[in-house]
């Protein structure tokens, strides 16, 4: 008998994405970071699918490109060194899923972080691009000032979206103390 272990917000998001994304889908990695999620998404969409991946830092794009090349997945991905708020300009089709992992680049400059001022239009673009029953996962890290601001604004914004159009789940480890990462999952309702 295998054990099920509750893990991090990122693990919860990955679990949702693994259940939703199918071979041939088009998806978005809104914050490529070091490329781990981009690689996972490229594997999930298969050889007939496509991933659009965004990051403002060239270091993130280079790290992601290297990981994709090592896995033989680069041809499935469009790497974009631009902010995720520009998503609608670069993604020409509807998508099955969008993944956000807010905060800063792990191992990078912690003064460069996602901000609600650009995350908000990116979330709106993501929701507009979602296919019926598609999902948007958003991992937030409120352990720093910008992250707490994003978490608070995101929770308030999502709480006011119409339930006839979206199902929204908020996953948090309530005994992990202040600043614990959270995962939001937004699913667009049917046609």
């Amino acid at each position: 008998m295998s054990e099920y272990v509750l893990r991090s917000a990122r693990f919860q998001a990955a679990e949702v994405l693994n259940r939703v994304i199918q071979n041939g889908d088009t998806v978005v990695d809104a914050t490529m970071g070091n490329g781990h999620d981009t690689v996972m998404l490229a594997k999930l969409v298969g050889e007939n699918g496509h991933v659009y991946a965004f990051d403002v830092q060239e270091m993130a794009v280079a790290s992601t490109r290297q990981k994709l090349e090592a896995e033989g997945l680069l041809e499935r991905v469009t790497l974009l060194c631009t902010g995720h708020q520009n998503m609608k300009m670069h993604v020409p089709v509807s998508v099955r899923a969008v993944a956000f992992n807010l905060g800063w680049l792990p191992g990078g400059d912690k003064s460069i972080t996602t901000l609600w001022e650009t995350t908000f239009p990116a979330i709106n673009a993501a929701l507009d691009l979602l296919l019926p029953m598609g999902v948007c996962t958003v991992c937030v890290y409120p352990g720093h000032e910008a992250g707490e601001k994003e978490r608070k604004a995101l929770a308030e914004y999502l709480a006011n979206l119409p339930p006839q159009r979206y199902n929204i789940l908020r996953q948090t480890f309530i005994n992990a103390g202040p600043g614990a990462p959270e995962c939001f999952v937004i699913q667009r309702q049917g046609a």
Side-chain angles (χ1 to χ4, degrees):
M1 184 164 137
S2 66
E3 290 183 9
Y4 177 78
V5 179
L6 286 174
R7 295 189 186 147
S8 69
R10 284 190 69 227
F11 179 85
Q12 298 299 324
E15 192 171 79
V16 168
L17 295 167
N18 272 279
R19 287 177 168 222
V20 172
I21 298 170
Q22 302 168 19
N23 187 15
D25 281 341
T26 300
V27 302
V28 174
D29 184 351
T31 48
M32 73 177 86
N34 284 318
H36 300 292
D37 289 344
T38 310
V39 168
M40 174 192 71
L41 293 170
K43 288 178 179 178
L44 289 173
V45 300
E47 61 184 36
N48 297 317
H50 198 77
V51 179
Y52 291 88
F54 293 82
D55 209 293
V56 295
Q57 295 183 71
E58 186 57 49
M59 186 169 93
V61 177
S63 173
T64 302
R65 181 183 310 280
Q66 186 176 37
K67 284 180 177 65
L68 291 165
E69 286 174 343
E71 297 273 351
L73 299 169
L74 188 58
E75 72 283 352
R76 299 179 188 182
V77 180
T78 299
L79 297 172
L80 298 152
C81 190
T82 186
H84 51 206
Q85 71 272 18
N86 300 315
M87 192 181 304
K88 292 243 354 225
M89 286 189 282
H90 296 282
V91 181
V93 296
S94 294
V95 300
R96 177 80 52 209
V98 181
F100 287 85
N101 198 17
L102 304 179
W104 57 72
L105 176 65
D109 182 350
K110 291 184 178 183
S111 70
I112 302 172
T113 181
T114 56
L115 300 168
W116 182 244
E117 291 75 17
T118 52
T119 298
F120 176 65
I123 297 277
N124 277 324
L127 297 182
D128 285 346
L129 287 168
L130 279 183
L131 290 164
M133 304 312 290
V135 298
C136 177
T137 62
V138 187
C139 293
V140 295
Y141 301 88
H144 60 100
E145 187 178 341
E148 173 57 21
K149 183 179 177 187
E150 279 187 306
R151 183 201 61 77
K152 185 176 179 185
L154 179 66
E156 186 177 306
Y157 170 68
L158 295 179
N160 289 300
L161 289 179
Q164 302 82 0
R165 184 154 180 166
Y166 301 102
N167 278 335
I168 302 166
L169 174 68
R170 179 180 186 178
Q171 297 174 311
T172 184
F173 290 86
I174 61 174
N175 63 340
E182 296 182 20
C183 177
F184 293 82
V185 179
I186 307 128
Q187 184 173 47
R188 183 174 173 190
Q189 293 302 296

Short mmCIF file of all heavy atoms in Angstrom, two decimals, residues 153-182:
data_model
loop_
_atom_site.label_atom_id
_atom_site.label_comp_id
_atom_site.label_asym_id
_atom_site.label_seq_id
_atom_site.Cartn_x
_atom_site.Cartn_y
_atom_site.Cartn_z
N ALA A 153 -3.81 40.32 -2.32
CA ALA A 153 -4.54 40.86 -3.47
C ALA A 153 -5.13 39.73 -4.31
O ALA A 153 -6.27 39.83 -4.79
CB ALA A 153 -3.61 41.73 -4.31
N LEU A 154 -4.38 38.65 -4.49
CA LEU A 154 -4.87 37.51 -5.28
C LEU A 154 -6.08 36.88 -4.62
O LEU A 154 -7.10 36.62 -5.28
CB LEU A 154 -3.76 36.47 -5.45
CG LEU A 154 -4.13 35.22 -6.23
CD1 LEU A 154 -4.43 35.55 -7.70
CD2 LEU A 154 -3.01 34.18 -6.14
N ALA A 155 -6.01 36.64 -3.32
CA ALA A 155 -7.12 36.03 -2.59
C ALA A 155 -8.38 36.90 -2.70
O ALA A 155 -9.48 36.39 -2.93
CB ALA A 155 -6.74 35.79 -1.13
N GLU A 156 -8.21 38.20 -2.55
CA GLU A 156 -9.35 39.11 -2.64
C GLU A 156 -9.94 39.12 -4.05
O GLU A 156 -11.16 39.06 -4.22
CB GLU A 156 -8.89 40.52 -2.25
CG GLU A 156 -10.00 41.53 -2.16
CD GLU A 156 -9.49 42.88 -1.70
OE1 GLU A 156 -8.84 42.94 -0.63
OE2 GLU A 156 -9.74 43.87 -2.42
N TYR A 157 -9.09 39.17 -5.04
CA TYR A 157 -9.54 39.18 -6.44
C TYR A 157 -10.29 37.88 -6.78
O TYR A 157 -11.39 37.92 -7.32
CB TYR A 157 -8.34 39.37 -7.37
CG TYR A 157 -8.67 39.17 -8.82
CD1 TYR A 157 -9.50 40.07 -9.50
CD2 TYR A 157 -8.18 38.08 -9.52
CE1 TYR A 157 -9.82 39.88 -10.83
CE2 TYR A 157 -8.49 37.89 -10.85
CZ TYR A 157 -9.31 38.79 -11.51
OH TYR A 157 -9.63 38.60 -12.82
N LEU A 158 -9.69 36.75 -6.45
CA LEU A 158 -10.29 35.46 -6.80
C LEU A 158 -11.60 35.22 -6.05
O LEU A 158 -12.52 34.60 -6.60
CB LEU A 158 -9.31 34.32 -6.54
CG LEU A 158 -8.04 34.32 -7.39
CD1 LEU A 158 -7.13 33.15 -7.00
CD2 LEU A 158 -8.36 34.28 -8.88
N ALA A 159 -11.70 35.70 -4.83
CA ALA A 159 -12.93 35.52 -4.04
C ALA A 159 -14.12 36.21 -4.69
O ALA A 159 -15.27 35.85 -4.43
CB ALA A 159 -12.73 36.04 -2.62
N ASN A 160 -13.85 37.17 -5.56
CA ASN A 160 -14.93 37.93 -6.19
C ASN A 160 -15.22 37.50 -7.62
O ASN A 160 -16.08 38.11 -8.27
CB ASN A 160 -14.60 39.43 -6.14
CG ASN A 160 -14.71 39.96 -4.73
OD1 ASN A 160 -15.78 39.90 -4.13
ND2 ASN A 160 -13.61 40.43 -4.18
N LEU A 161 -14.57 36.46 -8.11
CA LEU A 161 -14.89 35.96 -9.45
C LEU A 161 -16.19 35.17 -9.40
O LEU A 161 -16.50 34.52 -8.40
CB LEU A 161 -13.75 35.07 -9.98
CG LEU A 161 -12.46 35.79 -10.35
CD1 LEU A 161 -11.42 34.79 -10.83
CD2 LEU A 161 -12.70 36.84 -11.42
N PRO A 162 -16.98 35.22 -10.46
CA PRO A 162 -18.30 34.55 -10.44
C PRO A 162 -18.18 33.02 -10.36
O PRO A 162 -17.48 32.42 -11.18
CB PRO A 162 -18.94 34.99 -11.76
CG PRO A 162 -17.82 35.44 -12.63
CD PRO A 162 -16.73 35.91 -11.74
N PRO A 163 -18.87 32.41 -9.40
CA PRO A 163 -18.80 30.95 -9.26
C PRO A 163 -19.44 30.21 -10.43
O PRO A 163 -19.16 29.03 -10.64
CB PRO A 163 -19.56 30.67 -7.95
CG PRO A 163 -20.41 31.87 -7.72
CD PRO A 163 -19.71 33.03 -8.37
N GLN A 164 -20.27 30.88 -11.21
CA GLN A 164 -20.85 30.24 -12.39
C GLN A 164 -19.80 30.05 -13.48
O GLN A 164 -19.96 29.23 -14.36
CB GLN A 164 -21.99 31.10 -12.96
CG GLN A 164 -23.11 31.39 -12.02
CD GLN A 164 -22.81 32.57 -11.08
OE1 GLN A 164 -21.76 33.19 -11.13
NE2 GLN A 164 -23.76 32.84 -10.19
N ARG A 165 -18.72 30.82 -13.39
CA ARG A 165 -17.68 30.76 -14.42
C ARG A 165 -16.41 30.05 -13.95
O ARG A 165 -15.71 29.44 -14.74
CB ARG A 165 -17.34 32.17 -14.88
CG ARG A 165 -16.35 32.16 -16.00
CD ARG A 165 -16.43 33.37 -16.87
NE ARG A 165 -15.41 33.19 -17.90
CZ ARG A 165 -15.33 33.88 -18.98
NH1 ARG A 165 -16.20 34.81 -19.22
NH2 ARG A 165 -14.38 33.67 -19.84
N TYR A 166 -16.10 30.13 -12.65
CA TYR A 166 -14.85 29.56 -12.13
C TYR A 166 -15.08 28.82 -10.82
O TYR A 166 -15.83 29.29 -9.96
CB TYR A 166 -13.82 30.67 -11.85
CG TYR A 166 -13.46 31.48 -13.07
CD1 TYR A 166 -14.00 32.75 -13.25
CD2 TYR A 166 -12.59 30.99 -14.03
CE1 TYR A 166 -13.68 33.51 -14.37
CE2 TYR A 166 -12.27 31.74 -15.15
CZ TYR A 166 -12.82 32.99 -15.31
OH TYR A 166 -12.50 33.74 -16.42
N ASN A 167 -14.41 27.71 -10.67
CA ASN A 167 -14.26 27.05 -9.38
C ASN A 167 -12.86 27.39 -8.89
O ASN A 167 -11.89 27.26 -9.65
CB ASN A 167 -14.39 25.53 -9.50
CG ASN A 167 -15.82 25.08 -9.52
OD1 ASN A 167 -16.70 25.77 -9.02
ND2 ASN A 167 -16.06 23.92 -10.11
N ILE A 168 -12.76 27.81 -7.63
CA ILE A 168 -11.46 28.25 -7.11
C ILE A 168 -11.19 27.58 -5.78
O ILE A 168 -12.02 27.62 -4.86
CB ILE A 168 -11.43 29.79 -6.96
CG1 ILE A 168 -11.72 30.43 -8.32
CG2 ILE A 168 -10.07 30.24 -6.41
CD1 ILE A 168 -12.04 31.89 -8.26
N LEU A 169 -10.02 26.97 -5.70
CA LEU A 169 -9.59 26.27 -4.49
C LEU A 169 -8.34 26.95 -3.95
O LEU A 169 -7.45 27.32 -4.72
CB LEU A 169 -9.27 24.81 -4.83
CG LEU A 169 -8.67 23.94 -3.73
CD1 LEU A 169 -9.69 23.69 -2.63
CD2 LEU A 169 -8.20 22.62 -4.33
N ARG A 170 -8.27 27.10 -2.65
CA ARG A 170 -7.09 27.68 -1.99
C ARG A 170 -6.54 26.62 -1.05
O ARG A 170 -7.23 26.19 -0.12
CB ARG A 170 -7.50 28.93 -1.23
CG ARG A 170 -6.37 29.61 -0.51
CD ARG A 170 -6.92 30.84 0.19
NE ARG A 170 -5.88 31.63 0.80
CZ ARG A 170 -6.10 32.77 1.43
NH1 ARG A 170 -7.33 33.24 1.53
NH2 ARG A 170 -5.11 33.44 1.96
N GLN A 171 -5.30 26.23 -1.28
CA GLN A 171 -4.67 25.21 -0.43
C GLN A 171 -3.56 25.86 0.38
O GLN A 171 -2.67 26.51 -0.17
CB GLN A 171 -4.07 24.09 -1.29
CG GLN A 171 -5.13 23.34 -2.07
CD GLN A 171 -4.51 22.33 -3.01
OE1 GLN A 171 -3.60 22.63 -3.76
NE2 GLN A 171 -5.02 21.12 -2.96
N THR A 172 -3.67 25.70 1.69
CA THR A 172 -2.65 26.25 2.58
C THR A 172 -2.44 25.30 3.74
O THR A 172 -3.37 24.60 4.15
CB THR A 172 -3.06 27.66 3.07
OG1 THR A 172 -2.01 28.21 3.86
CG2 THR A 172 -4.35 27.64 3.87
N PHE A 173 -1.23 25.24 4.23
CA PHE A 173 -0.92 24.44 5.40
C PHE A 173 -1.15 25.33 6.61
O PHE A 173 -0.30 26.17 6.94
CB PHE A 173 0.52 23.92 5.33
CG PHE A 173 0.70 22.87 4.27
CD1 PHE A 173 0.98 23.24 2.96
CD2 PHE A 173 0.58 21.53 4.57
CE1 PHE A 173 1.14 22.28 1.96
CE2 PHE A 173 0.73 20.56 3.59
CZ PHE A 173 1.01 20.94 2.29
N ILE A 174 -2.29 25.18 7.27
CA ILE A 174 -2.70 26.12 8.31
C ILE A 174 -1.84 26.04 9.57
O ILE A 174 -1.86 26.96 10.37
CB ILE A 174 -4.20 25.98 8.65
CG1 ILE A 174 -4.51 24.59 9.19
CG2 ILE A 174 -5.05 26.31 7.44
CD1 ILE A 174 -5.94 24.45 9.69
N ASN A 175 -1.08 24.99 9.75
CA ASN A 175 -0.22 24.89 10.93
C ASN A 175 1.24 25.16 10.61
O ASN A 175 2.12 24.91 11.42
CB ASN A 175 -0.37 23.52 11.59
CG ASN A 175 0.09 22.39 10.68
OD1 ASN A 175 0.17 22.55 9.46
ND2 ASN A 175 0.38 21.24 11.27
N ALA A 176 1.52 25.71 9.42
CA ALA A 176 2.91 25.97 9.02
C ALA A 176 3.38 27.36 9.44
O ALA A 176 4.53 27.70 9.24
CB ALA A 176 3.06 25.82 7.51
N GLY A 177 2.49 28.16 10.01
CA GLY A 177 2.89 29.48 10.47
C GLY A 177 2.77 30.54 9.40
O GLY A 177 2.52 30.25 8.24
N PRO A 178 2.99 31.78 9.80
CA PRO A 178 2.88 32.89 8.85
C PRO A 178 3.94 32.78 7.75
O PRO A 178 5.06 32.34 8.00
CB PRO A 178 3.11 34.14 9.70
CG PRO A 178 3.37 33.70 11.08
CD PRO A 178 3.34 32.21 11.13
N GLY A 179 3.56 33.18 6.56
CA GLY A 179 4.50 33.15 5.45
C GLY A 179 4.59 31.83 4.72
O GLY A 179 5.37 31.70 3.78
N ALA A 180 3.78 30.84 5.12
CA ALA A 180 3.83 29.54 4.44
C ALA A 180 3.29 29.68 3.02
O ALA A 180 2.31 30.38 2.79
CB ALA A 180 3.01 28.52 5.22
N PRO A 181 3.91 29.00 2.05
CA PRO A 181 3.43 29.06 0.67
C PRO A 181 2.00 28.54 0.56
O PRO A 181 1.56 27.69 1.33
CB PRO A 181 4.40 28.13 -0.08
CG PRO A 181 5.62 28.09 0.76
CD PRO A 181 5.14 28.20 2.17
N GLU A 182 1.27 29.09 -0.42
CA GLU A 182 -0.10 28.68 -0.68
C GLU A 182 -0.26 28.37 -2.16
O GLU A 182 0.48 28.90 -2.99
CB GLU A 182 -1.09 29.79 -0.29
CG GLU A 182 -1.10 30.11 1.18
CD GLU A 182 -2.11 31.17 1.55
OE1 GLU A 182 -3.06 31.41 0.78
OE2 GLU A 182 -1.95 31.77 2.63
#
